[in-house]
Amino acid sequence: MSDRTTAEVSEAEIAVHWQEENYVNQPERFVAQANLKDKTVFDRFSLDNVPDCFKEYADLLHWYRPWDITLDTSNPPFWRWFVGGRINASYNCVDRHLAKYKNKTAIHFVPEPEHEAIQHVTYQELYVRVNEVAALLRDGCGLKTGDRVTLHMPMVPELPITMLACARLGVIHSQVFSGFSGKATADRIVDSESRLLITMDAYCRGGQLLDHKEKADVAVSEALKEGVKVEKVLVWQRYPGRYSSKTPLVGGRDFVMNEMLSAYRRLRVDPVEMRAEDPLFLMYTSGTTGRPKGCQHSTGGYLSYVAGTSKYIQDIHPEDVYWCMADIGWITGHSYIVYGPLALAASSVVYEGLPTYPDAGRPWRIAEELDVNIFHTSPTAIRALRRAGPDEPLKYNHHFKHMTTVGEPIEPAVWKWYHEVVGKGEAVIVDTWWQTENGGFLCSTVPALHLMKPGSAGPGVPGIHPIIYDEAGAEIPPRSGRAGNICIQNPWPGSFQTIWKDPDRFVQQYYARYCKDRTSRDWRDWPYMAGDGALQAADGYYRILGRIDDVINVAGHRLGTKEIESASLLVEEIAEAAVVPARDEIKGKVPDLYVSLKPGLAPSEDIRKRVEDSVIREIGAIARPRRVVIVPDMPKTRSGKIMRRVLGAISNNEDAGDISTLANPEIVDEIRKMKS
Ligand code: WTA
């Protein structure tokens, strides 16, 4: 665990945090058309009505066989939802829409180069392509229900197509964010024991065609070192008919997906009738150790939850054009680009590249061209767009009815720009708090029913009942404005089922701390600990203060400090490493990396550079430290523990507070001088 306690986190965060803000009304036009404007929802989804309330979400889907038990609690905290039910996610996101929406666009794909035409994939075309890929995976690669496949794909329509093809077969997909390195991909291949890797030759980003296949070669060779042999690498072509990577294909191992598919033209594959609690996918995320954990998400519960929250919180109707700017490689993209919107037959935008390239007008041009009316992005993207083009949105004729922010706290000033300039005052905004583990939203306002409050996530969404505990395990009085560890009192169907191959860690990390009775089969005794500090204001809205563990939220992306530290320790000169979050105007937080050298070695630019390279090689460029500082020694307690809190204060130019417990207090000033 971190050496920061909740109290310390909250004190620091509150100090720089905003004051209470005024409420903002939602536009009446929005309310008139909203999916959810019936206040009885809060009674229907009360704590007493858990788990039955969630049937309302499951009923949004097509089930081959209805479930017998809504929630099975016989093996706590491994809750099983909709037991006995049979369902297929691919059928629900594709086939069942054909009767009514065959010719409607399912996916609008916006390539980065603006001269390349936008592709509009209809539900019929999605159906045909998903079937062909499923046929190839089943008949050409021998994949079967329960097998794992690692995907390392960029933002192209082939990514959701491949995911839905896996889902059709009950093959568990594990998509790794395309910005992660080959080594990071290898770690996920090894943990999930994938025999197949699906990737793409190249993709466009920031005006360049990036070679992506090279990472696949690293991934395969690194996985082999760990004893997992990838038998086949399937490579999609970014430009069909042309191989765009400089990395050659390896004979007998690598196959061009686009070419292989010609043998499966027009083949149809019956969706496999999966048990509700069969896993749909793994999503790896960072935690407190150096090893990312594979969050295992279910088929029936997950899909019900993302469909329900997409309908009620995102307010998606089939006629909407919905654009979530996240990457499908993160949970937000899985839930709110692919599974949620497609389950509701919406048109979902997939875009390649960066929001600010070639200029900060790009998102608004896309929104105008596609008539996007629901927009979803992160505070980091909003801050970057605001800085690069504060007046840009006003130049375009786009109109949003609904906008979302997710992933990090949003400052009221940034919220206001989002509301007034991006949304032109016409849109309702929801600030949604949740995590990879949760499958879907935990806290947010219900857009037609709650007033907006800039800088605050809002109450628990229907059916989610948060509670805040202090360090000692006592409940902090509701609405008291006092900070503590936010937990959820009840199970919900979107929650992950376990950590892949590590059920003990699942119990330990999320349930052990506040469990009231280990022998109890009553879920009320097993609150879920989110790992965030939070407070509940008098109005019932929650304000999220930040992680209480060793996780840094960089640009809304979750990185483990231990993973970065382990990467730097691979450089042989390094004795110790400590990563702390430093505040950043655009990205929210960025990692500062402090390292000390083995005895007798002198600091050099070469060592510093090799540490940085190692982090990029092991994890990816998103983990690049803001700075690598080689220190003569770490601030340490008398028992030899590195005081990261002190380093954090140095990075943020704050007072280091009480340093009397340090064995070497003089080091604090020394490091401060070095840094400046
Ligand atoms: C943080 C992303 C404040 C939080 C969906 C959480 C937020 C972590 C918000 C999960 C928000 C997410 N306001 N903080 N609206 N949303 N967070 O797993 O610290 O990538 O624990 O899931 O992001 O990040 P993850």
Side-chain angles (χ1 to χ4, degrees):
M1 284 300 282
S2 159
D3 61 351
R4 303 201 308 167
T5 65
T6 320
E8 279 166 352
V9 173
S10 345
E11 244 173 70
E13 302 280 338
I14 291 169
V16 296
H17 240 271
W18 34 86
Q19 299 297 311
E20 288 290 288
E21 286 289 326
N22 294 329
Y23 298 103
V24 178
N25 283 309
Q26 54 280 78
E28 270 168 35
R29 214 157 44 149
F30 173 82
V31 177
Q33 59 81 65
N35 279 328
L36 180 56
K37 46 190 168 196
D38 170 9
K39 285 203 172 94
T40 66
V41 68
F42 301 114
D43 301 326
R44 294 200 314 272
F45 283 77
S46 70
L47 195 58
D48 287 342
N49 288 334
V50 172
D52 286 349
C53 56
F54 289 112
K55 288 186 200 166
E56 199 171 316
Y57 287 177
D59 284 340
L60 295 170
L61 304 176
H62 172 270
W63 294 79
Y64 297 114
R65 182 186 185 281
W67 57 93
D68 307 309
I69 305 170
T70 305
L71 178 65
D72 170 9
T73 62
S74 58
N75 181 24
F78 300 91
W79 318 125
R80 295 162 76 220
W81 284 88
F82 307 123
V83 179
R86 295 273 175 172
I87 187 167
N88 185 283
S90 178
Y91 181 87
N92 271 284
C93 292
V94 188
D95 307 38
R96 70 166 175 147
H97 303 318
L98 296 180
K100 238 170 128 182
Y101 299 116
K102 184 182 271 194
N103 298 321
K104 177 178 190 296
T105 299
I107 296 169
H108 294 284
F109 172 57
V110 187
E112 183 182 88
E114 289 187 280
H115 63 268
E116 283 180 31
I118 294 181
Q119 297 170 25
H120 310 278
V121 182
T122 62
Y123 273 96
Q124 172 66 19
E125 190 181 343
L126 184 64
Y127 171 73
V128 170
R129 295 186 70 184
V130 166
N131 271 282
E132 289 175 357
V133 175
L136 162 64
L137 296 179
R138 187 187 64 184
D139 304 338
C141 303
L143 286 186
K144 49 187 195 320
T145 303
D147 287 347
R148 278 82 57 207
V149 168
T150 298
L151 278 46
H152 191 211
M153 294 184 58
M155 286 289 283
V156 288
E158 286 76 10
L159 173 51
I161 287 169
T162 308
M163 290 162 65
L164 292 165
C166 290
R168 202 166 187 84
L169 302 171
V171 166
I172 303 169
H173 58 75
S174 166
Q175 153 71 7
V176 178
F177 170 57
S178 59
F180 275 135
S181 67
K183 177 62 174 44
T185 308
D187 294 342
R188 289 152 177 81
I189 289 173
V190 170
D191 191 72
S192 61
E193 296 167 293
S194 301
R195 307 265 158 203
L196 195 79
L197 171 64
I198 306 181
T199 186
M200 187 165 251
D201 53 359
Y203 63 95
C204 305
R205 189 175 168 86
Q208 286 176 301
L209 186 64
L210 299 182
D211 193 333
H212 190 57
K213 161 64 166 58
E214 64 183 11
K215 289 183 175 174
D217 289 24
V218 175
V220 173
S221 64
E222 291 289 327
L224 192 59
K225 287 186 198 159
E226 303 286 321
V228 172
K229 184 168 189 298
V230 174
E231 284 150 17
K232 279 198 177 86
V233 178
L234 304 186
V235 188
W236 284 101
Q237 289 173 326
R238 168 65 180 78
Y239 294 98
R242 175 177 119 202
Y243 184 61
S244 302
S245 164
K246 288 191 195 63
T247 317
L249 296 167
V250 176
R253 187 197 75 184
D254 300 351
F255 301 89
V256 171
M257 193 89 168
N258 308 64
E259 290 168 4
M260 288 180 90
L261 280 170
S262 59
Y264 300 89
R265 287 291 301 278
R266 291 184 301 279
L267 285 187
R268 300 287 185 264
V269 172
D270 286 337
V272 177
E273 300 188 8
M274 304 298 293
R275 283 180 303 213
E277 71 272 27
D278 282 333
L280 177 61
F281 66 86
L282 301 180
M283 169 65 65
Y284 283 85
T285 191
S286 299
T288 45
T289 71
R291 208 161 52 86
K293 44 193 176 184
C295 295
Q296 175 186 318
H297 283 281
S298 72
T299 305
Y302 170 82
L303 200 65
S304 300
Y305 197 68
V306 297
T309 49
S310 292
K311 181 161 183 172
Y312 282 180
I313 308 296
Q314 296 291 283
D315 200 57
I316 294 179
H317 304 62
E319 52 275 20
D320 289 322
V321 181
Y322 166 87
W323 182 15
C324 170
M325 277 205 336
D327 193 291
I328 296 174
W330 306 106
I331 191 69
T332 301
H334 273 50
S335 301
Y336 298 114
I337 297 178
V338 181
Y339 286 112
L342 297 184
L344 299 180
S347 302
S348 189
V349 178
V350 170
Y351 92 114
E352 182 184 47
L354 299 162
T356 48
Y357 182 87
D359 57 74
R362 182 170 184 232
W364 325 126
R365 282 196 292 282
I366 295 172
E368 182 183 282
E369 174 151 3
L370 295 175
D371 237 331
V372 172
N373 63 345
I374 307 183
F375 186 67
H376 185 156
T377 192
S378 65
T380 289
I382 302 168
R383 289 189 287 257
L385 286 162
R386 175 174 176 241
R387 179 193 272 185
D391 303 322
E392 261 337 271
L394 299 173
K395 298 180 191 159
Y396 295 90
N397 187 22
H398 67 271
H399 298 278
F400 299 139
K401 68 166 182 176
H402 181 294
M403 305 195 300
T404 301
T405 117
V406 62
E408 341 146 47
I410 181 163
E411 302 82 347
V414 177
W415 191 100
K416 282 187 185 138
W417 182 78
Y418 194 38
H419 182 246
E420 281 154 30
V421 182
V422 175
K424 303 172 182 173
E426 302 166 329
V428 72
I429 295 183
V430 291
D431 177 347
T432 57
W433 168 71
W434 59 297
Q435 314 168 300
T436 306
E437 291 87 339
N438 313 143
F441 305 141
L442 292 182
C443 282
S444 165
T445 47
V446 173
L449 295 178
H450 293 119
L451 297 173
M452 301 177 257
K453 189 164 99 173
S456 232
V461 297
I464 298 292
H465 300 277
I467 184 166
I468 302 179
Y469 289 110
D470 69 15
E471 292 289 312
E475 182 185 345
I476 289 182
R479 300 173 187 257
S480 63
R482 272 179 51 211
N485 294 338
I486 187 164
C487 296
I488 309 299
Q489 300 181 60
N490 59 288
W492 67 99
S495 179
F496 69 144
Q497 302 173 291
T498 186
I499 297 176
W500 183 255
K501 293 201 304 200
D502 206 347
D504 292 344
R505 194 173 166 199
F506 172 76
V507 179
Q508 218 30 55
Q509 225 157 55
Y510 300 98
Y511 292 96
R513 184 147 180 207
Y514 294 112
C515 179
K516 294 171 203 156
D517 175 2
R518 288 281 196 129
T519 62
S520 169
R521 290 187 176 178
D522 183 345
W523 52 256
R524 287 167 193 81
D525 291 322
W526 292 86
Y528 164 84
M529 186 180 88
D532 276 315
L535 58 84
Q536 189 184 27
D539 56 11
Y541 286 35
Y542 290 91
R543 187 184 297 173
I544 306 301
L545 302 169
R547 301 286 313 186
I548 54 164
D549 56 12
D550 297 323
V551 168
I552 304 189
N553 198 336
V554 179
H557 300 147
R558 196 163 143 180
L559 297 174
T561 52
K562 287 280 186 299
E563 290 164 49
I564 302 176
E565 289 165 9
S566 309
S568 47
L569 289 170
L570 293 175
V571 175
E572 62 167 329
E573 288 91 341
I574 305 302
E576 289 180 305
V579 170
V580 295
R583 267 191 292 283
D584 182 88
E585 219 182 293
I586 299 291
K587 295 182 173 176
K589 299 260 163 60
V590 287
D592 262 6
L593 171 56
Y594 293 87
V595 291
S596 66
L597 304 180
K598 289 179 181 161
L601 298 176
S604 71
E605 175 54 25
D606 171 59
I607 297 178
R608 215 198 47 72
K609 180 79 180 52
R610 278 189 289 121
V611 168
E612 190 178 300
D613 289 347
S614 183
V615 172
I616 294 168
R617 193 173 53 245
E618 292 294 307
I619 305 172
I622 47 162
R624 183 197 305 272
R626 176 180 72 161
R627 50 167 92 94
V628 177
V629 188
I630 303 179
V631 296
D633 196 6
M634 295 286 181
K636 281 186 189 151
T637 60
R638 276 177 249 283
S639 57
K641 201 173 153 212
I642 300 176
M643 291 283 279
R644 287 178 173 72
R645 175 179 69 76
V646 172
L647 292 171
I650 297 174
S651 273
N652 290 308
N653 295 320
E654 285 164 2
D655 179 23
D658 180 11
I659 54 169
S660 61
T661 55
L662 286 185
N664 53 349
E666 68 289 345
I667 201 75
V668 177
D669 276 343
E670 217 175 305
I671 299 177
R672 260 194 218 283
K673 278 186 209 126
M674 297 184 54
K675 208 203 78 190
S676 50

